[in-house]
Amino acid sequence: EGVAPQDYTALKLKVKEWASKAAEKIKGKIPEGANVYFVPATLRPETMYGQTCCFVGPKINYGVFKLSENEYYVVTKRAAWNMAFQGTFFKGDNFARDASELPAVLELLGSEVVGTLVNAPLSIHKQGVRILPMDSVLPSKGTGVVTSVPSDSPDDYATVKDLAKKAEYYGIKKEWAELEISPIIETPSYGNITAKFLVEKMKINSPKDAKQLAEAKDLAYKEGYYKGTMLIGDFKGQPVEVAKPKVREALIKSGEAFEYAE
Ligand code: A2H
């Protein structure tokens, strides 16, 4: 971890329909009709139009943390602890003195939530996107939940391709990994689906090609941020550098996201 804090955008993906295993476990623990959100941390809020699914680590333990009578967040305990210091759960003088005071309602294993249908704010896929497994999700970074934008993230692109190819092995429906990948950002060097372009050009065949993916991620990030132009949304036609803080602010203002730092 670096010295400078990372300012993430924590996005709220509301559960529309639980995977059956998760539904069993939450029964009686969360009131019916309460809103439960998966909360991915992203550094690229301007790409949220292109969300096609949301990743969890299948072996990672998540907590369901109570925000209010009808609002709950699914994140790692580590992230909830950070959030507790950033005013997410407690207001005013009310704060947790140690991790046991976090408002945890229950624990869920990543693999148990795979298949859950969530609403992804700004996504062109209005019917919702699925929670899917990604082996490279780090429990020690962000919230342990990673929203997937395969048009602009090489990691996400390589992972959705692999999931679709081996759907049976992963225990998912192939179509969950095959939502349409639409152009979100135009770039001079890599076209309008940067991640696909780079993954194909660099012949990256698997989400396990870590070294090449790191290189692709770097190229995609720099090109998108410094030379990209928005193709969609309220800031269409504007440079990414200008649009990025505006999209973030709009998501926070509408209550669909909040600030998260670490
Ligand atoms: B980014 P940094 Cl379109 N494990 O969001 C692995 N990856 C994680 C993670 C975790 N626990 N938590 C967050 N991330 C991902 C969008 C995106 C991202 C795009 C392009 C690049 C990109 C959609 N996925 O990240 O190490 C999240 O994916 C490359 C910089 O803190 C988050 O932003 O710099 C990013 O990594 C945070 O990485």
Side-chain angles (χ1 to χ4, degrees):
E1 287 196 359
V3 178
Q6 286 281 33
D7 289 315
Y8 293 101
T9 301
L11 195 66
K12 294 164 67 177
L13 278 60
K14 186 164 139 185
V15 173
K16 291 169 73 133
E17 185 194 309
W18 285 102
S20 57
K21 183 75 199 174
E24 255 171 59
K25 281 185 88 171
I26 67 169
K27 215 170 178 182
K29 301 244 168 90
I30 296 173
E32 294 220 15
N35 296 322
V36 185
Y37 301 88
F38 280 77
V39 183
T42 180
L43 291 175
R44 300 216 42 200
E46 78 284 7
T47 67
M48 295 298 107
Y49 303 98
Q51 294 174 89
T52 66
C53 58
C54 176
F55 299 127
V56 293
K59 294 175 184 152
I60 296 177
N61 252 309
Y62 295 89
V64 182
F65 297 93
K66 185 175 177 176
L67 218 84
S68 66
E69 277 319 308
N70 67 347
E71 272 203 309
Y72 296 79
Y73 289 168
V74 181
V75 294
T76 56
K77 192 172 184 180
R78 181 192 153 278
W81 183 230
N82 285 336
M83 286 175 183
F85 285 98
Q86 294 173 36
T88 304
F89 297 108
F90 309 101
K91 306 287 173 227
D93 294 339
N94 197 1
F95 63 93
R97 278 154 301 227
D98 68 64
S100 67
E101 291 185 17
L102 286 172
V105 177
L106 78 147
E107 279 188 8
L108 290 168
L109 189 61
S111 59
E112 296 172 334
V113 301
V114 166
T116 297
L117 183 68
V118 295
N119 171 61
L122 295 184
S123 174
I124 56 169
H125 298 290
K126 299 289 173 216
Q127 78 285 8
V129 303
R130 297 285 171 171
I131 302 291
L132 296 178
M134 185 196 219
D135 289 322
S136 60
V137 174
L138 300 166
S140 55
K141 182 195 283 193
T143 57
V145 181
V146 181
T147 198
S148 174
V149 182
S151 54
D152 291 274
S153 162
D155 282 295
D156 299 355
Y157 186 82
T159 301
V160 294
K161 289 292 155 189
D162 191 57
L163 287 169
K165 203 161 68 185
K166 304 182 201 153
E168 205 174 334
Y169 168 80
Y170 286 112
I172 61 164
K173 288 193 181 149
K174 190 167 191 264
E175 63 261 32
W176 293 350
E178 287 187 319
L179 267 58
E180 194 193 347
I181 301 173
S182 269
I184 306 299
I185 290 167
E186 176 77 44
T187 71
S189 312
Y190 310 137
N192 61 17
I193 307 193
T194 290
K196 180 181 194 312
F197 179 95
L198 284 169
V199 166
E200 287 174 0
K201 185 177 150 210
M202 296 171 72
K203 300 197 163 52
I204 297 170
N205 294 312
S206 148
K208 292 190 178 114
D209 292 347
K211 200 171 157 246
Q212 278 183 298
L213 278 169
E215 198 183 317
K217 176 161 93 175
D218 214 43
L219 292 171
Y221 190 87
K222 289 196 177 112
E223 179 81 6
Y225 187 72
Y226 294 107
K227 298 182 183 161
T229 306
M230 298 300 297
L231 293 171
I232 185 172
D234 287 347
F235 312 105
K236 186 173 163 175
Q238 297 190 20
V240 166
E241 216 177 332
V242 174
K244 182 180 179 137
K246 293 186 187 169
V247 175
R248 184 175 200 251
E249 201 184 289
L251 282 167
I252 292 170
K253 209 170 163 197
S254 68
E256 292 168 301
F258 56 94
E259 292 173 27
Y260 174 72
E262 63 181 41

